[in-house]
Amino acid sequence: MLRTLITGGAGFLGSHLCDRLLDDGHEVVCMDNFLTGSPDNISHLTGHPRFSFLEHDVTEYITIEGPLDYVLHFASPASPIDYLRLPIQTLKVGALGTHNALGLTKAKNACFLLASTSEVYGDPNTHPQKETYWGNVNPVGLRGVYDEAKRFAEAITMAYHRHHNVPTRIVRIFNTYGPRMRLNDGRALPAFMRQALSGEPITVHGTGKQTRSFTYVDDTIEGIVRLLYSNVTSPVNIGCCDEISILEFAKEIIALVNSTSAITHDPLPEDDPKSRRPDISLANRLLDWSPRVDREEGLRRTLVYVLEKIGQAP
């Protein structure tokens, strides 16, 4: 039986990975300190014979009894509201946390997968973004605490691969949405849905002409797992190519929930990317992966979760 550690396993993506790898027959050790993760995300796994939980901060030395086949490092604040509130912790988990997770992987002769991010591209001046693009990041800007933490995490991952021959994978995850997102984490989708359902004005930053591409969580998880099971050591983008402006996205949410909310505009945050869309040709070719759930269907599924979360009947 394969045995896998998932750091940040009580987070949005981490908890979905716990479910998926349990379905794949793994024994899963979930590690989290609940800085941004939630016990609710893994409560349904209590009592599962192949699931265990360890409350631990990965910036401290990690000890796991017994063998491990895989270590998936997903521990990190991941939304602007979190990493701007927790800048030192974000840098520490990207540096110390990744170092500790890699050291454990090496000691266990396991395979390591790093959850990186499209934020390593910064405010890109090429579009769409390919894995060969080195990025346009402001290292001393407010977002630098997250961007550079992930860039360092990629660098030390490759150093362990080259110097210690540790099998490694790096997934660059683009905007992902779906059930178990925190409704107050500051990201566009949960904020827009919450505001639209309550009839509040929907807050769009800047003109709203900045673009994003949104991937439903099931598709992102499938891409991550395919990468994990592959032998691809170079970074791979996982995301959707269906690009939309934030203003149009807000209008879609209003129409979806049949809301009367108006749209208001706040100042654009510092270094906010003007465009964000992945080139996924590498994932297509090496992993035979592409998104399957279109935005209309994904938003419907997410709305059911949001309604349940705020106590309204779907």
Side-chain angles (χ1 to χ4, degrees):
M1 183 186 299
L2 296 171
R3 189 165 187 251
T4 299
L5 169 68
I6 303 176
T7 73
F12 168 45
L13 289 178
S15 64
H16 282 281
L17 277 167
C18 288
D19 290 341
R20 170 59 188 270
L21 294 183
L22 286 169
D23 287 345
D24 284 359
H26 293 227
E27 179 184 343
V28 172
V29 180
C30 172
M31 180 176 287
D32 210 297
N33 66 347
F34 300 126
L35 187 65
T36 58
S38 171
D40 292 344
N41 289 338
I42 54 172
S43 61
H44 63 289
L45 297 175
T46 301
H48 192 293
R50 287 184 281 106
F51 177 81
S52 59
F53 175 75
L54 292 174
E55 186 169 349
H56 183 73
D57 181 347
V58 296
T59 66
E60 305 293 336
Y61 185 77
I62 304 172
T63 301
I64 300 288
E65 296 295 327
L68 286 173
D69 297 284
Y70 296 106
V71 175
L72 282 66
H73 185 39
F74 277 73
S76 178
S79 71
I81 197 171
D82 288 333
Y83 57 72
L84 295 179
R85 177 175 58 91
L86 303 164
I88 306 302
Q89 293 93 328
T90 301
L91 286 162
K92 286 176 69 177
V93 75
L96 300 176
T98 307
H99 187 204
N100 288 336
L102 280 162
L104 176 68
T105 305
K106 177 175 177 288
K108 299 292 187 179
N109 293 313
C111 176
F112 181 81
L113 183 143
L114 172 68
S116 189
T117 170
S118 60
E119 295 295 332
V120 299
Y121 299 123
D123 185 7
N125 51 28
T126 67
H127 195 69
Q129 292 82 58
K130 292 186 176 183
E131 291 88 350
T132 51
Y133 175 55
W134 290 356
N136 178 38
V137 173
N138 178 3
V140 296
L142 291 174
R143 299 173 72 102
V145 297
Y146 183 62
D147 299 358
E148 297 294 10
K150 288 297 188 180
R151 287 162 71 91
F152 174 85
E154 289 196 10
I156 194 172
T157 296
M158 291 308 299
Y160 264 75
H161 174 67
R162 294 180 179 123
H163 189 68
H164 292 307
N165 297 314
V166 173
T168 59
R169 316 282 185 261
I170 298 174
V171 57
R172 290 179 178 164
I173 301 167
F174 282 68
N175 295 69
T176 299
Y177 69 98
R180 300 183 195 161
M181 294 188 81
R182 286 178 19 238
L183 302 189
N184 62 346
D185 77 352
R187 299 188 214 199
L189 174 58
F192 289 174
M193 280 195 173
R194 177 176 49 78
Q195 290 170 331
L197 287 166
S198 64
E200 300 173 23
I202 290 183
T203 306
V204 169
H205 292 117
T207 63
K209 292 182 180 178
Q210 64 272 27
T211 64
R212 298 291 185 270
S213 53
F214 297 94
T215 314
Y216 188 65
V217 62
D218 289 0
D219 284 330
T220 296
I221 295 299
E222 178 65 28
I224 292 168
V225 171
R226 290 194 187 198
L227 177 61
L228 179 68
Y229 294 155
S230 77
N231 60 0
V232 179
T233 58
S234 60
V236 177
N237 291 336
I238 294 294
C240 181
C241 297
D242 188 8
E243 190 176 7
I244 186 172
S245 75
I246 294 298
L247 183 59
E248 290 303 314
F249 189 57
K251 293 176 180 177
E252 280 192 355
I253 300 300
I254 290 172
L256 176 69
V257 305
N258 195 26
S259 174
T260 58
S261 293
I263 293 176
T264 61
H265 294 264
D266 277 0
L268 195 66
E270 179 182 326
D271 298 326
D272 192 64
K274 300 177 187 66
S275 60
R276 183 59 56 75
R277 176 165 63 91
D279 182 316
I280 58 170
S281 55
L282 198 62
N284 291 158
R285 179 165 55 86
L286 299 181
L287 308 178
D288 191 26
W289 177 89
S290 60
R292 297 286 184 252
V293 181
D294 63 31
R295 194 169 61 248
E296 182 180 359
E297 174 60 24
L299 289 177
R300 282 199 299 266
R301 296 182 192 179
T302 306
L303 178 60
V304 171
Y305 161 77
V306 172
L307 288 169
E308 292 173 346
K309 196 74 174 173
I310 65 177
Q312 296 184 21

